[in-house]
């Protein structure tokens, strides 16, 4: 079943085509990597998929429905969650509250029920707390529940951001450079975790990454972006041997060394 | 949850005890009648500070036109009692509804603005409201709205204040309140977590405006009249100072700020200029040396007392 | 009413509007320069204008200065005051949240207003007539010598400012800091000094506006800065905050609109019109008439 399908998605910023004719087709359960050199337009693709930017032309379909023109929060409510390249936690709130906020749109009790503390308020609050704690346990953050998010070490902040994204109960998870700033060992653990959460939460994942070893190790399909266009797509093995990719990306790195 | 209900009951119990003490002192004459005025004013100012705190402190939208909403509540409330001879409670509710409605109308376009721009826009809107009232002869225009019955008693002011505090506290401690806090913390992340940011900004703005309207209705029905000059931007700055003094985001802070600064106002009633100088120095010094205000965004709770007694060990985690 | 009379009246209001508008423009320049450089709405700026008016008043009454020395003196005192305010109240908060600085600015503004009342008393003072009033009648439109003076002084100051910003070394430094503070610092520009000088220049211009208003309306009081301050800020936003020609354009437009509203609708709606302009511009083109839209990077 097709989960996400885009056709000819382009966006122009002041005459500059940041992304042109971007096409992707993600099946339910896929784990896809999006790579490319700096400034290739990877994060712009995420921003297009999540409604932060509206494509100048093209179509984006999620679960069979067009999501072009929806606001970011509406897209999240449809089932796409994301993390950010530069971590965007609710820095001054506790770890638990960070996750609780993400359950927000699943809550059914009204403002009136909230202020009067009647109706569904108590039962739903208890349910949110329970679910949030379960997620925190999964991400080994349960004993940190009352810690303020900004006081967590970097790796835990990244984990918390993924936990928070999962709390929106998405079908598709977009990870923007989840391994940025991590050491090889942490990166390896992260790889394991990504694979694991996919099966545990029955997820489809699209991830942007700079760290080639992570992408090659964990993704089954890879797209390579350069100057806003997809220049190659295939399995890790195919990508590794694609001369265009070597020229645009690996070649550049090799020349730099 | 059980715990939450218990806390609510404790809060209500303490409130009733406080009410009984004050009412008793007033009836027996231990609190002279002229001091009753300052106590009622404190109650009204607590409503104002708590409602502005919901907008500025909890949701992080910097509004400085709160007096405008107060004015709408005062005038609409007064129209109900004076022109239509309706009961006081109808006046309060009508004032709240009118202010909330205006809050939605004003909030929808302006809350798209960020930070400084929103501040100036709300300041401007507050002034526009005042100027428009100034030009409506139906409500007395520049000379003020006269002949308003004195319906506000200590009992009214006190229990409306308790209701306000409970309402806002419970709102904040819910998924809806958390959505507002998320907007304050990081608007982009909040949106990415599925929070309809516009809706919650407008909602917080409308609730804040509604309670400012309530405070306005109480105010007008305590002073026999409403005058456009009472609702200028200095009044807005007054309320802002109370919230900043207590600590943006803290309900306890808003209450403390309202109590302390209202008392200060009464002490310095003869030299209002000096009061404003003290206010202004307070704002500057607070921002320079303690920008989080008295309480930060924390709330007063039993936990805080035990922590104080146990020393500040938790701070260096 | 016949059309020629109406036309004359419109022209008359436009002339009045331009003279008030150039006052707004002078004040707006300070707002826009400060905002351009440290992204702060200096709420106290309108009160610097009041301070300038008072210095001008004391120079002409107590010290018997003539107009030009009084104007210069007012500008110098205000410039120093502006630098002190920046140093004491704003600089320590340069990396603090925006709301904290904004609250401080409101504090400084209230301090100048009510401190002013404590020091010079709240009463309205009559500014001495330093120039004899002559009325020129040009085809039925009346222009006073004060209006000519306001326009002349404003134009001269704006020309000097434009030259300073565009041609001199300090002007280049100001533009560099405004464009990218960190890069400017790396290039060896003394950012703190540039910010200080920006406050000095902005405050000086506001003080000049204060003296001119004293001459024009003959009366000053400690709270006179509030409304013109807010309106000048609106003028700066209207023209595009951070853009110097924008402030001049915005000021003139504000003045003219106000004159037309008070001339043809009602003077009580004059202030409401100013705020309405603000709301409209913020909703339709928040970057201002001469500004470009930018959006936050995600």
């Amino acid at each position: 079943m097709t989960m996400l399908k885009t056709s000819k998605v382009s966006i122009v910023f002041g005459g500059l085509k940041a992304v042109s004719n971007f096409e992707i087709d993600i099946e339910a359960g896929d784990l896809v990597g999006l790579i490319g050199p700096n400034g290739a337009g990877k994060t712009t693709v995420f921003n297009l998929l999540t409604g932060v930017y509206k494509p100048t032309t093209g179509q984006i379909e999620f679960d069979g429905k067009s999501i072009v023109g929806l606001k970011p929060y509406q897209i999240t409510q449809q089932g796409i969650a994301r993390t950010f390249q530069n971590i965007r936690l609710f820095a001054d709130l506790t770890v638990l509250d960070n996750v609780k906020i993400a359950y927000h749109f699943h809550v059914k009790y009204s403002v009136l029920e909230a202020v009067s503390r009647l109706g569904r308020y108590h039962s739903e609050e208890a349910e949110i707390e329970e679910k949030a704690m379960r997620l925190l346990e999964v991400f080994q953050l349960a004993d940190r529940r009352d810690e303020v998010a900004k006081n967590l070490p970097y790796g835990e902040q990244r984990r918390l951001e993924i936990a928070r994204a999962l709390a929106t109960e998405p079908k598709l998870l977009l990870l923007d450079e989840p391994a940025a700033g991590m050491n090889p060992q942490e990166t390896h653990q992260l790889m394991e975790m990504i694979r694991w959460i996919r099966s545990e939460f029955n997820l489809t994942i699209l991830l942007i990454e700079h760290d080639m070893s992570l992408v090659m190790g964990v993704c089954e399909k890879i797209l390579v972006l350069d100057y806003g266009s997809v220049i190659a797509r295939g399995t890790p093995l195919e990508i590794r041997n694609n001369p265009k990719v070597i020229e645009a990306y690996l070649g550049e790195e090799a020349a730099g060394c | 949850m059980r715990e939450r209900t218990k806390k609510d009951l404790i809060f209500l119990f303490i409130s009733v005890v406080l009410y009984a003490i004050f009412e008793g002192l007033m009836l027996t004459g231990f609190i002279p009648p002229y001091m009753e005025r300052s106590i009622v004013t404190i109650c009204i100012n607590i409503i104002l500070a708590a409602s502005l705190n919901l907008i500025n402190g909890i949701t992080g939208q910097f509004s400085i036109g709160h007096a405008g909403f107060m004015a709408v509540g005062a005038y609409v409330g007064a129209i109900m009692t004076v022109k239509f001879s309706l009961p006081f409670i109808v006046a309060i509710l009508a004032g709240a509804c009118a202010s909330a409605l205006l809050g939605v109308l004003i909030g929808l376009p302006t809350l798209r603005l960020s930070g400084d721009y929103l501040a100036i826009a709300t300041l401007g809107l507050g002034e526009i409201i005042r100027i428009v009232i100034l030009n409506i002869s139906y409500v007395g225009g520049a000379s003020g709205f006269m002949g308003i019955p004195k319906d506000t008693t200590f009992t009214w002011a006190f229990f409306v204040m308790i209701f306000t505090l409970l309402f806002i506290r419970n709102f904040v401690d819910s998924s809806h309140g958390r959505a507002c806090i998320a907007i304050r913390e990081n608007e982009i992340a909040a949106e990415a977590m599925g929070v309809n940011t516009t809706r919650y900004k407008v909602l917080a703005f409308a609730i804040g405006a509604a309670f400012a309207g309530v405070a306005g209705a109480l105010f007008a029905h305590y002073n026999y009249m409403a005058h456009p000059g009472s609702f200028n931007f200095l009044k807005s700055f007054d309320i802002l100072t109370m919230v900043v003094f207590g600590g943006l985001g803290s309900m306890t802070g808003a209450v403390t700020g309202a109590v302390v600064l209202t008392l200060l106002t009464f002490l310095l009633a003869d030299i209002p200029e000096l009061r404003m100088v003290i206010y202004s120095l307070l704002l500057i010094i607070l921002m320079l040396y303690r920008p989080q205000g008295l309480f930060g965004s924390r709330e007063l709770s039993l936990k805080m007392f035990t922590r104080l007694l146990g020393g500040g060990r938790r701070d260096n985690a | 009413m016949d059309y020629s009379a109406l036309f004359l009246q419109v022209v008359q209001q436009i002339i009045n509007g331009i003279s008030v508008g150039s006052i707004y423009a002078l004040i707006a320049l300070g707002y826009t320069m400060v905002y351009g450089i440290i992204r702060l709405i200096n709420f106290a700026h309108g009160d610097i204008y009041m301070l300038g008016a008072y210095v001008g008043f004391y120079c002409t009454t107590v010290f018997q200065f003539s107009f030009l020395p009084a104007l210069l003196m007012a500008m110098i005192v205000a410039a120093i005051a502006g630098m002190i305010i920046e140093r004491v109240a704003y600089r320590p908060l340069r990396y603090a949240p925006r709301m904290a600085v904004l609250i401080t600015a409101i504090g400084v503004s209230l301090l100048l207003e009510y401190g002013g009342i404590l020091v010079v008393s709240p009463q309205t003072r009559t500014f001495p007539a330093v120039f004899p009033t002559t009325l020129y009648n040009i085809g039925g439109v009346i222009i006073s010598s004060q209006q000519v003076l306001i326009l002349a002084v404003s134009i001269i100051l704006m020309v000097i400012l434009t030259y300073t910003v565009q041609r001199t070394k300090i002007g280049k430094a100001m533009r560099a800091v405004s464009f990218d503070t960190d890069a400017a610092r790396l290039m060896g520009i003394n950012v703190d000094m540039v910010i200080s000088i920006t406050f000095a220049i902005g405050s000086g211009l506001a003080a000049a506006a204060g003296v001119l208003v004293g001459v024009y309306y003959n009366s000053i009081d400690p709270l006179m800065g509030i409304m013109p301050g807010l309106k000048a800020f609106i003028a700066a936003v209207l023209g595009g905050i951070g853009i110097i020609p924008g402030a001049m354009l915005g000021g003139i437009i504000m003045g003219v609109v106000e004159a037309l509203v008070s001339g043809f609708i009602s003077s009580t709606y004059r202030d409401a019109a100013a705020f309405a302009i603000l709301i409209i511009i913020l909703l339709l083109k928040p970057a201002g008439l001469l500004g470009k839209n930018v959006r936050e990077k995600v």
Side-chain angles (χ1 to χ4, degrees), chain B residues 18 44 75 98 106 161 186 196 280-281 297:
Chain B
L18 266 178
I44 293 173
Y75 275 85
I106 286 174
M161 171 195 84
N186 191 324
N196 183 346
S280 59
L281 285 173
S297 55

Side-chain angles (χ1 to χ4, degrees), chain A residues 52 71-74 76-77 80-82 84 87-93 97-98 100-105 107 109-112 114-117 121-123 125-126 128-129 146-147 151 161 164-165 168, chain B residues 1-2 4-5 7-8 163 166-200 203 207 297 303 314-315 317:
Chain A
V52 176
K71 298 230 173 67
Y73 77 89
Q74 291 170 317
T76 307
Q77 296 187 357
I80 301 182
R82 74 176 289 182
F84 294 91
I87 305 176
R88 281 179 186 271
L89 287 169
F90 304 116
D92 287 314
L93 304 185
D97 277 343
N98 265 277
K100 272 180 161 182
I101 285 169
Y103 281 110
H104 164 74
F105 70 89
V107 164
Y109 65 77
S110 64
V111 172
L112 223 59
V115 295
S116 62
R117 300 263 160 110
Y121 173 79
H122 288 295
S123 59
E125 278 292 296
I128 292 170
E129 175 134 359
D146 293 323
E147 191 65 72
N151 294 342
E161 223 198 3
R164 189 182 64 173
T168 65
Chain B
M1 339 173 262
R2 264 252 124 103
R4 275 179 173 137
T5 321
K7 270 190 197 162
D8 282 359
F163 175 78
L166 266 178
F167 188 104
I168 295 178
R169 211 270 317 262
N170 288 358
F171 175 80
V172 173
D173 183 27
S174 76
S175 182
H176 305 289
R178 283 195 296 270
C180 293
I181 295 174
I183 294 170
R184 173 189 78 195
E185 290 293 311
N186 191 324
E187 200 170 332
I188 289 169
E191 183 105 351
M193 291 304 116
V195 174
N196 183 346
T197 50
T198 312
R199 175 168 179 253
Y200 277 97
L203 181 66
I207 294 177
S297 55
K303 229 194 264 172
R314 280 197 79 252
D315 281 353

